[in-house]
Amino acid sequence: MNREPMFGLETGFLSKQTAGLIRGILQKRYSIGNTSVSLFSSPSPLYPGLELISDKGPNPIQKRLVVGSIRMGYGHHRMALAVYSHSLKKQIPTYLHDLLAIDSPEAKAIADIDSGYSYFSRLSAEIGGPVEWLWGALMSQGNLTSLELSCQLAELYKGLMNGIPKDSPIITTYPLNGQIAVASGFQKTIHLICDNYPQYYLLVPGALNLVQSPSAYTKFIQMGVPKENLAVAGHWVSEDVVSNAVTDCENRVRRIDSKKCRRYLIPIGGAGAQKGYILDLIRLSKKLLQNKKAVFWINTGDHPKVLKSIESFLIVQKIPYLSIDNWDDLIHFIERHPLRSEDHENNPPVVLFHFPSHTEAFSATDKLIRITDVLVTKPSELAFYPVPKLFIRRVGDHEAASVVRSLELGEGTVECREVTHAKELIHIFTESDDLLLRMNESVIRNTIEGVYNGSKAAVEMSAAN
């Protein structure tokens, strides 16, 4: 059995024969090899200064900061946004390198894995019971063997990064991106670890791995990760949200004091797994919505089936709603509804947001966070954002640790496994002030202490000599 050091840990759990078999299957099924894929870039239509890397585009690849991510749900791209929003603010030329934006056999192999992940995420959320238990268990079993396999497979995917200057600093938000960068010989790779549940497969050997909390850092150290490969940076939060967090919370407090209608932002995740839960929550909260004590702003992202289901449900329930389906209308909506504004009596109790593009879908939530009173979300990457949060049922067991982190900071609720529990908390948030006031005070304190500055810190590290 081949044993090689990885973070100084004993590996080799994966035999040469097993690794060779897996590599052989991938190479045969997808025709994967180490052939170079020609890469180019084109301007982002949504973020000026950001260039998108793909196999098509008008611009050649040059040396600049590279943010590596993958379209696997919304989480890893939201983390990438949290990074490049800070680099663009500092006027640092930046590329976004999405593994699935490159038309190649390698990207096809990775995309097939993602489609399976999304399917089982939806299945576990809708069926629950044994299916949810099994999926949750699988999502928390990222052991050394899975890390070793991923690093070996990264060797097969090096063609996805060929042509990018190796002296370009790279910040990755998905472990495979970082593992490919290290395998390709990049001189500086910084990797952002998602959520708050330490697992080996989330790591990138050979990179500086950044975590969001002291507890995650301590656990990784106990797992044997050397201190030189690990650091606490803070939470991954986009620049606009974190830089305005104190002011926004102060405005939320004024809304509470003025007894204004409570705004609840409910984003549907990238796998579209929360539809049934949200429909039940609307039904149970119908009286609060009809009495204009609460409004639900539901971002259905780029899931047309989820949008149609909610629209049909609202029609049956006779709950008025407004649909917003493009970026310009989103911006106008935000401009008309700042936190300091009055809530007009003729505003519908439910507003649905839907977008044609993946980037608009997850970016809209970051925009809407700044004008909401409470974020209603599963404990995903949004669990780390500086806004009062109500947590609904998780999709994978690994997400439970993110709830713990938010509770430590005093700005989130416990996880509401049952819809009735979430409805009770919405009632408490709506009818009383104390809990929401304390959460806003906690966000202000945490912001001043730099808890939410992780993405900014990562960008500064990438620019350091």
Side-chain angles (χ1 to χ4, degrees):
M1 201 174 279
N2 180 34
R3 293 191 177 274
E4 296 177 351
M6 183 175 292
F7 286 128
L9 302 170
E10 278 287 304
T11 59
F13 302 104
L14 202 66
S15 69
K16 284 184 177 180
Q17 290 80 7
T18 302
L21 176 63
I22 294 171
R23 290 166 65 101
I25 291 171
L26 286 172
Q27 287 174 315
K28 183 175 182 180
R29 179 170 180 177
Y30 296 100
S31 301
I32 292 176
N34 280 326
T35 57
S36 178
V37 180
S38 297
L39 299 180
F40 305 91
S41 74
S42 55
S44 165
L46 211 58
Y47 294 101
L50 181 68
E51 289 276 322
L52 309 178
I53 292 178
S54 71
D55 56 306
K56 304 175 183 66
N59 302 322
I61 303 299
Q62 303 173 0
K63 177 186 175 181
R64 60 174 59 183
L65 173 64
V66 179
V67 179
S69 190
I70 187 170
R71 178 175 175 165
M72 191 171 284
Y74 294 149
H76 300 289
H77 264 253
R78 191 184 310 282
M79 290 168 62
L81 167 61
V83 174
Y84 61 70
S85 63
H86 285 278
S87 64
L88 296 178
K89 183 70 174 182
K90 293 177 179 292
Q91 299 184 326
I92 299 173
T94 306
Y95 287 125
L96 175 64
H97 181 271
D98 178 355
L99 294 175
L100 299 188
I102 301 166
D103 187 8
S104 66
E106 292 87 349
K108 177 66 167 59
I110 298 168
D112 285 349
I113 296 172
D114 175 44
S115 64
Y117 170 85
S118 296
Y119 171 76
F120 282 106
S121 292
R122 291 191 298 271
L123 201 64
S124 68
E126 298 302 325
I127 297 177
V131 176
E132 183 184 9
W133 173 84
L134 177 60
W135 186 240
L138 288 173
M139 290 298 97
S140 57
Q141 296 297 316
N143 56 23
L144 269 172
T145 302
S146 60
L147 172 60
E148 187 178 4
L149 174 60
S150 184
C151 289
Q152 291 198 23
L153 294 180
E155 291 283 343
L156 287 178
Y157 298 134
K158 287 194 296 185
L160 293 172
M161 298 197 76
N162 283 343
I164 302 175
K166 298 300 186 293
D167 56 349
S168 299
I170 180 165
I171 302 174
T172 58
T173 66
Y174 185 69
L176 185 57
N177 292 84
Q179 292 156 8
I180 295 171
V182 171
S184 300
F186 279 80
Q187 296 173 15
K188 179 183 283 189
T189 302
I190 297 171
H191 176 58
L192 311 189
I193 294 178
C194 63
D195 67 49
N196 200 43
Y197 185 79
Q199 301 181 78
Y200 285 112
Y201 90 98
L202 297 175
L203 296 162
V204 176
L208 174 60
N209 294 265
L210 302 182
V211 296
Q212 300 184 82
S213 71
S215 60
Y217 176 86
T218 301
K219 179 61 176 176
F220 273 123
I221 293 295
Q222 292 172 346
M223 290 163 59
V225 179
K227 291 182 179 180
E228 59 266 26
N229 292 111
L230 197 64
V232 182
H235 293 191
W236 321 133
V237 180
S238 56
E239 193 279 333
D240 187 50
V241 174
V242 70
S243 64
N244 290 285
V246 171
T247 300
D248 289 344
C249 281
E250 290 172 345
N251 284 327
R252 291 186 184 106
V253 170
R254 293 188 186 99
R255 288 178 58 80
I256 295 169
D257 293 339
S258 302
K259 306 298 181 184
K260 292 184 178 178
C261 174
R262 296 283 193 267
R263 301 171 175 179
Y264 296 90
L265 173 60
I266 310 174
I268 304 293
Q274 297 91 18
K275 181 186 70 176
Y277 192 108
I278 299 308
L279 293 180
D280 285 342
L281 188 59
I282 294 171
R283 176 177 54 82
L284 292 173
S285 306
K286 184 175 179 179
K287 185 174 291 186
L288 289 174
L289 295 170
Q290 289 177 327
N291 292 339
K292 301 294 181 69
K293 290 188 174 183
V295 293
F296 283 0
W297 294 345
I298 305 173
N299 182 11
T300 64
D302 57 352
H303 303 297
K305 291 182 179 179
V306 175
L307 173 68
K308 295 299 182 185
S309 294
I310 297 178
E311 285 181 330
S312 299
F313 183 80
L314 292 171
I315 291 170
V316 170
Q317 293 289 321
K318 297 181 180 179
I319 299 175
Y321 70 93
L322 169 69
S323 289
I324 290 178
D325 61 4
N326 65 78
W327 191 257
D328 287 341
D329 285 350
L330 167 73
I331 299 304
H332 291 151
F333 179 88
I334 291 171
E335 290 172 347
R336 293 194 305 271
H337 296 85
L339 283 168
R340 62 183 180 274
S341 71
E342 296 294 332
D343 291 291
H344 301 293
E345 284 296 320
N346 59 349
N347 283 350
V350 176
V351 181
L352 302 178
F353 300 89
H354 181 261
F355 303 92
S357 82
H358 175 80
T359 302
E360 290 175 335
F362 70 81
S363 297
T365 297
D366 281 56
K367 293 287 187 182
L368 289 165
I369 279 174
R370 290 206 51 212
I371 61 168
T372 193
D373 292 311
V374 181
L375 175 65
V376 181
T377 179
K378 74 184 183 74
S380 61
E381 75 291 340
L382 288 170
F384 299 89
Y385 269 55
V387 59
K389 291 173 285 286
L390 190 162
F391 290 116
I392 63 176
R393 188 169 60 219
R394 64 182 181 265
V395 172
D397 284 353
H398 63 101
E399 292 182 334
S402 299
V403 176
V404 173
R405 173 61 173 165
S406 187
L407 287 170
E408 289 173 350
L409 295 171
E411 31 91 299
T413 69
V414 296
E415 178 191 355
C416 298
R417 303 285 297 163
E418 302 298 329
V419 185
T420 52
H421 189 186
K423 182 262 179 183
E424 290 169 0
L425 281 174
I426 282 181
H427 187 270
I428 292 172
F429 276 131
T430 304
E431 298 290 356
S432 62
D433 300 340
D434 290 348
L435 180 58
L436 204 50
L437 283 170
R438 288 200 301 271
M439 285 185 172
N440 279 293
E441 290 167 359
S442 294
V443 172
I444 291 172
R445 181 179 62 254
N446 297 332
T447 303
I448 293 171
E449 292 177 357
V451 168
Y452 308 108
N453 287 339
S455 302
K456 179 182 178 182
V459 170
E460 291 172 349
M461 291 179 194
S462 73
N465 293 327

